[in-house]
Amino acid sequence: DDIEDNELMEVGREIEPVLRRLYEKRTGLTLQGPPPLMRHSQHSFMLANLDDMREDGRIVELKNVGLRMASLWGDEGTDDIPELYICQVQHQMAVAGCDAADVVALIGGQNLKVFTVERNDRFIERMIEIEADFWRRVVSLEPPEPDWKHPQVLRAVESLIGDPTNAAIALPDSMAETVELFREAKDRKKQAES
């Protein structure tokens, strides 16, 4: 299934040429234009679709940031950007073999900031391990175990079956004897306690 387009994504695509020109004007550097889809040289499951690259090979990622997310972005010139974009550009640097990425953020439609994220090989090594395990599971049709402590897992379960504390579970017929033994043990415990 294609990801459903939303207005922010559409505006982001339309504004990318403007962000490119503003970045070039601010930095005095020339962008090459978006390269084709890239694949990691050793890990074929790792792909990256870059917004742009500088002539010196540095990745340039373009972001249109709404006001609700503005507080997640730090001071210009730092790497203080939301974690999901740190992960995105570290992945991109791993695939493209780059040492740094500039993240250009237009915040609230009027505040342009350029952030620089340096390559972190320890982070990338761990990320590759996680991505490799994920891809192995995809290929072998083996879903990961749910993280029952994560609030989104509980919300997903609730959306499927309603409140799980009130859910009835249908057991196979082969469990009837086990259930009966459990009930008898529970009754004996209750009698012993009284």
Side-chain angles (χ1 to χ4, degrees), residues 62-177:
L62 307 167
K63 299 295 179 195
N64 182 37
V65 181
L67 289 174
R68 284 185 316 127
M69 305 299 282
S71 65
L72 301 177
W73 296 78
D75 294 330
E76 182 171 13
T78 69
D79 65 355
D80 189 9
I81 65 174
E83 289 177 358
L84 74 135
Y85 299 129
I86 293 283
C87 294
Q88 178 185 5
V89 296
Q90 290 294 337
H91 173 90
Q92 290 171 333
M93 285 187 274
V95 171
C98 296
D99 292 326
D102 282 349
V103 179
V104 182
L106 181 63
I107 300 173
Q110 61 190 13
N111 186 6
L112 185 77
K113 292 184 177 184
V114 179
F115 301 86
T116 299
V117 179
E118 301 291 332
R119 182 185 179 101
N120 182 327
D121 285 322
R122 279 187 44 211
F123 182 95
I124 288 172
E125 287 171 16
R126 180 66 182 126
M127 183 176 57
I128 289 173
E129 289 173 11
I130 293 167
E131 290 181 18
D133 181 60
F134 172 79
W135 190 246
R136 179 191 59 77
R137 289 175 177 275
V138 168
V139 170
S140 65
L141 301 175
E142 177 189 337
E145 290 297 317
D147 177 0
W148 295 109
K149 294 179 183 170
H150 196 286
Q152 288 185 342
V153 172
L154 182 58
R155 282 195 290 275
V157 170
E158 287 176 341
S159 73
L160 293 171
I161 65 170
D163 182 355
T165 59
N166 293 327
I169 300 171
L171 296 174
D173 293 339
S174 62
M175 292 295 297
E177 185 179 337

Side-chain angles (χ1 to χ4, degrees), residues 20-67:
R20 283 184 180 91
R21 286 193 304 273
L22 290 171
Y23 176 81
E24 288 177 327
K25 183 177 178 182
R26 177 171 290 187
T27 63
L29 299 167
T30 302
L31 296 176
Q32 297 179 334
L37 181 69
M38 301 178 91
R39 182 181 303 270
H40 194 282
S41 61
Q42 295 175 318
H43 306 287
S44 63
F45 56 86
M46 292 179 67
L47 305 173
N49 188 11
L50 310 180
D51 286 343
D52 218 317
M53 288 189 88
R54 294 185 347 192
E55 288 181 337
D56 64 0
R58 180 178 286 194
I59 293 169
V60 177
E61 185 63 29
L62 307 167
K63 299 295 179 195
N64 182 37
V65 181
L67 289 174

